[in-house]
Amino acid sequence: MASYTEIEKENNPKTTIIKYTQELHEKTGRNVIVYYSGWLTVDDGELSIESMDKNGFIDLINNIDESKGLDLILHTPGGSVSATESIIDYLHAVFGDDIRAIIPQMAMSAGTMIACSCKEILMGKQSSLGPVNPQIYGVPAKSVIEEFELAKKEIEENPKSTPYWTILLKKYPINFLFECKNTMEWARDILEKALKYSMFKEDNQDKIDKIISELISGDSTKNHSRNLSAAKCKKIGLNIKCIEKDEELSDIILSIHNACISYFYRENSSKIYLNQNGTFLSYNFE
């Protein structure tokens, strides 16, 4: 494995990312797309999943053999529900159900939704997915719903608390609660559709319902940033494959990760797109 320290000694981490991405392709015989956000590394630029990302995927998929399937390497904090749905639909239209998600470190919220749209998820001991809790204007939708529910309960039990809750809830725009409820339901529908399309089929509805419950409304959603380990994800029913069982595979994946982190630090970049053919795109900021 190329460690972060070793990569830092090199002059061009971009070359290292391309090198190991090509090695992964040679090992598996599958197409490889790297979609990496620098949200843990930088404070500026486009860090979340957004509609423009689809253009990056279109560029990367151009001139590759779609019959070889796809290994999608994800590192993202999540982002727009609508953009996520569009990307999932596009990837399914191109590769069908032959997509594997690879999570070197973290794919949170909407990133978890993309991972769940794949037939299997490759994770290591250091890897995490996250609760599916869409944010609206930077506020977790589930938290808003729970706050209104608590307000209703306390006002019914103690009408004198009404002025307190009236002041507190004024921070939200009109109809914000309905927007949050609709977005949560939308995310749930996308997640169910994604799981049925590839990882599971219609006869696994009980398992699908359990996974959705855990990711959207279960204990895992106590905090939007909660990290769900490979063991936890496997326990709730997701199809998780352990990358440590193949030492060479694990080394290649972690080398790509370390090279991407180094690139973010050194190149004023917030997002990376890459395929095994060396097509490389990134968001740069001043």
Side-chain angles (χ1 to χ4, degrees), residues 217-236:
S217 59
D219 290 339
S220 63
T221 60
K222 288 179 180 176
N223 190 296
H224 182 65
S225 62
R226 187 172 186 177
N227 287 200
L228 307 179
S229 67
K232 173 64 175 177
C233 291
K234 190 170 186 177
K235 184 177 180 181
I236 68 174

Side-chain angles (χ1 to χ4, degrees), residues 132 142 146 184 188 209 211-222:
V132 176
K142 186 171 184 290
E146 290 175 345
M184 287 295 294
R188 181 184 180 89
D209 289 342
I211 292 169
I212 293 173
S213 177
E214 285 290 333
L215 291 179
I216 291 185
S217 59
D219 290 339
S220 63
T221 60
K222 288 179 180 176

Side-chain angles (χ1 to χ4, degrees), residues 21-265:
T21 301
Q22 291 172 339
E23 284 192 16
L24 181 59
H25 168 66
E26 290 167 3
K27 176 174 175 58
T28 65
R30 297 170 60 81
N31 293 303
V32 180
I33 286 179
V34 176
Y35 174 70
Y36 247 67
S37 167
W39 99 98
L40 297 178
T41 312
V42 298
D43 298 322
D44 202 354
E46 299 294 342
L47 299 169
S48 300
I49 297 171
E50 57 167 0
S51 297
M52 281 295 294
D53 289 327
K54 190 172 181 180
N55 294 324
F57 281 101
I58 291 171
D59 285 344
L60 296 178
I61 290 170
N62 186 36
N63 296 324
I64 65 173
D65 185 351
E66 300 170 5
S67 67
K68 292 182 178 180
L70 175 65
D71 283 347
L72 177 59
I73 305 180
L74 283 171
H75 185 68
T76 174
S80 163
V81 173
S82 60
T84 299
E85 181 178 42
S86 181
I87 289 170
I88 290 173
D89 288 345
Y90 175 58
L91 293 177
H92 283 168
V94 176
F95 299 103
D97 60 1
D98 191 12
I99 307 174
R100 303 191 303 180
I102 300 176
I103 315 299
Q105 185 180 0
M106 298 170 73
M108 306 298 284
S109 195
T112 296
M113 294 168 69
I114 294 176
C116 288
S117 73
C118 302
K119 66 179 182 180
E120 59 187 26
I121 306 172
L122 281 63
M123 301 177 70
K125 294 176 181 178
Q126 74 291 337
S127 306
S128 300
L129 298 180
V132 176
N133 185 359
Q135 296 195 30
I136 304 175
Y137 310 126
V139 180
K142 186 171 184 290
S143 298
V144 175
I145 296 170
E146 290 175 345
E147 189 171 10
F148 272 91
E149 289 175 347
L150 178 60
K152 180 181 178 181
K153 180 176 181 294
E154 290 198 357
I155 289 172
E156 288 175 347
E157 293 176 353
N158 179 20
K160 292 183 179 180
S161 68
T162 301
Y164 164 79
W165 282 110
T166 299
I167 295 172
L168 190 64
L169 298 179
K170 276 185 177 180
K171 63 186 175 183
Y172 297 121
I174 296 175
N175 294 325
F176 192 64
L177 174 62
F178 296 101
E179 187 175 356
C180 288
K181 287 183 176 180
N182 289 338
T183 301
M184 287 295 294
E185 188 61 35
W186 187 12
R188 181 184 180 89
D189 290 345
I190 294 171
L191 188 57
E192 180 174 10
K193 178 183 174 183
L195 288 165
K196 286 181 177 180
Y197 183 87
S198 187
M199 193 175 292
F200 305 107
K201 302 300 179 184
E202 295 288 345
D203 57 353
N204 286 286
Q205 189 62 49
D206 289 344
K207 180 175 285 190
I208 291 170
D209 289 342
K210 178 185 176 183
I211 292 169
I212 293 173
S213 177
E214 285 290 333
L215 291 179
I216 291 185
S217 59
D219 290 339
S220 63
T221 60
K222 288 179 180 176
N223 190 296
H224 182 65
S225 62
R226 187 172 186 177
N227 287 200
L228 307 179
S229 67
K232 173 64 175 177
C233 291
K234 190 170 186 177
K235 184 177 180 181
I236 68 174
L238 290 170
N239 185 12
I240 305 297
K241 303 298 181 184
C242 178
I243 63 174
E244 282 89 1
K245 291 184 177 180
D246 186 328
E247 185 176 352
E248 181 185 11
L249 177 67
S250 179
D251 284 351
I252 294 172
I253 291 170
L254 291 178
S255 294
I256 294 172
H257 172 73
N258 290 334
C260 287
I261 298 301
S262 177
Y263 183 87
F264 288 132
Y265 273 123

